[in-house]
Amino acid sequence: MSLADLFPDGAHRFQMGLHPAEPGSFFAPRDPTGRILAERQRWLAQDPDRYAFLDPEAAPLLAAFAHSRSLPTSLSLAALGGRLEPDVLFLAPDATGEFRLRGGVLCFPTGWALRDKLGGTVAEIHGVVPGLNQTLGPAMRQMLSRLRPGQAWQRSNWGLAATAELNLPPALGRPVPEPPVRLDRLWLRVEEQLLMALPGVAGLVFAIRIELPRLDELARDPAAAAGLARALRAMPADLAAYKRIATIREPLLALLEP
């Protein structure tokens, strides 16, 4: 997917944007330098309880996922997280059929922490995003309930960041976008998200990869720059505030639309 494809034409709207995915390609290593795995291993060694946790009853989800990736099923959660470039989160249905977050490895969060969301339903986790549940909630529940083992779907989400750091939990107090605005001091934070039904168990894996093109690099692509500007103009005020874009929206538009 090109950067321009992240930004739909027309007025703002939440959309699933799902397309069939190949898990092998998604989880395959992409970083030839090894920097991403080294950073993941560092965070997991430094504070494993913050970045990796799984409800004990959800252990079969971890084993099923490891088996699906041809990894030893005896791997600990932290060891698994240090071998994979994406973050992996595990969801399982409760007695009512609602999928709840049971744990996972989250080394590179975008403004949230794993333990703060444990046990939450998908709707509860997304409740902080203005308008999302009202627009996509029913479709998300239906899609999750219909996933079958072997099926995998992919989508992308984006925001803006004032740092190229991958690990952005609230506790670390990373800088947020604010004036004065410079394209070489802002990054498009793209989440590539994969949702896969696990074989042999009632559960799903939700995996996240982070890509961070800097905005001065993005601006060299006229279609991507025009798409970002269009999305910024169309974004509702409450969503812009949630994404921490409100205070930089107008000056950023001035740079993207000279």
Side-chain angles (χ1 to χ4, degrees), residues 26 30 36 47 49 59 75 81 94 118 122 125 127 159 171 174 176 198 207 220:
F26 186 91
R30 299 182 189 177
I36 290 176
D47 197 347
D49 289 341
L75 276 179
D94 62 17
L118 282 173
V122 173
I125 292 169
R174 302 294 197 191
V176 299
L198 292 168
R220 298 189 187 110

Side-chain angles (χ1 to χ4, degrees), residues 53-143:
F53 181 83
L54 191 69
D55 288 341
E57 62 269 24
L61 303 182
L62 172 61
F65 173 71
H67 180 73
S68 75
R69 304 270 42 86
S70 300
L71 294 170
T73 56
S74 59
L75 276 179
S76 70
L77 185 61
L80 179 103
R83 288 195 183 195
L84 297 173
E85 291 176 358
D87 283 319
V88 289
L89 303 171
F90 298 103
L91 300 97
D94 62 17
T96 71
E98 288 281 350
F99 278 86
R100 293 182 179 271
L101 179 62
R102 302 304 186 187
V105 182
L106 185 67
C107 294
F108 301 148
T110 303
W112 63 291
L114 176 62
R115 284 184 175 268
D116 291 344
K117 303 294 185 181
L118 282 173
T121 66
V122 173
E124 288 166 349
I125 292 169
H126 288 147
V128 296
V129 185
L132 180 61
N133 279 336
Q134 296 90 325
T135 305
L136 292 184
M140 285 192 291
R141 284 193 296 273
Q142 185 178 68
M143 186 270 292

Side-chain angles (χ1 to χ4, degrees), residues 219-254:
R220 298 189 187 110
D221 179 343
L228 176 56
R230 183 173 62 247
L232 289 170
R233 286 198 177 281
M235 188 177 294
D238 57 354
L239 184 59
Y242 165 75
K243 286 179 170 282
R244 297 181 175 179
I245 291 172
T247 61
I248 66 165
R249 175 158 43 180
E250 291 305 321
L252 180 53
L253 283 168

Side-chain angles (χ1 to χ4, degrees), residues 2-225:
S2 72
L3 290 178
D5 293 332
L6 288 171
F7 313 112
D9 294 333
H12 167 81
R13 65 187 185 281
F14 286 112
Q15 54 185 356
M16 298 284 280
L18 292 167
H19 59 274
E22 172 46 56
S25 175
F26 186 91
F27 288 105
R30 299 182 189 177
D31 173 25
T33 71
R35 181 183 66 86
I36 290 176
L37 286 183
E39 181 172 352
R40 294 179 65 80
Q41 292 160 8
R42 176 168 62 86
W43 290 117
L44 287 164
Q46 177 178 313
D47 197 347
D49 289 341
R50 181 189 297 270
Y51 298 106
F53 181 83
L54 191 69
D55 288 341
E57 62 269 24
L61 303 182
L62 172 61
F65 173 71
H67 180 73
S68 75
R69 304 270 42 86
S70 300
L71 294 170
T73 56
S74 59
L75 276 179
S76 70
L77 185 61
L80 179 103
R83 288 195 183 195
L84 297 173
E85 291 176 358
D87 283 319
V88 289
L89 303 171
F90 298 103
L91 300 97
D94 62 17
T96 71
E98 288 281 350
F99 278 86
R100 293 182 179 271
L101 179 62
R102 302 304 186 187
V105 182
L106 185 67
C107 294
F108 301 148
T110 303
W112 63 291
L114 176 62
R115 284 184 175 268
D116 291 344
K117 303 294 185 181
L118 282 173
T121 66
V122 173
E124 288 166 349
I125 292 169
H126 288 147
V128 296
V129 185
L132 180 61
N133 279 336
Q134 296 90 325
T135 305
L136 292 184
M140 285 192 291
R141 284 193 296 273
Q142 185 178 68
M143 186 270 292
L144 293 176
S145 68
R146 290 183 175 179
L147 270 177
R148 296 293 177 263
Q151 287 187 316
W153 297 88
Q154 192 169 337
R155 69 183 297 272
S156 296
N157 190 28
W158 67 272
L160 297 179
T163 174
E165 292 285 350
L166 291 167
N167 186 15
L168 300 186
L172 291 183
R174 302 294 197 191
V176 299
E178 59 185 6
V181 174
R182 287 176 48 177
L183 294 182
D184 63 350
R185 293 293 182 268
L186 289 170
W187 285 260
L188 186 73
R189 189 172 171 97
V190 182
E191 289 192 354
E192 293 182 44
Q193 303 172 346
L194 177 131
L195 189 65
M196 180 177 71
L198 292 168
V201 293
L204 312 170
V205 64
F206 180 66
I208 307 169
R209 278 186 175 273
I210 302 294
E211 302 290 341
L212 283 168
R214 209 170 61 195
L215 288 199
D216 58 337
E217 299 167 351
L218 177 146
R220 298 189 187 110
D221 179 343

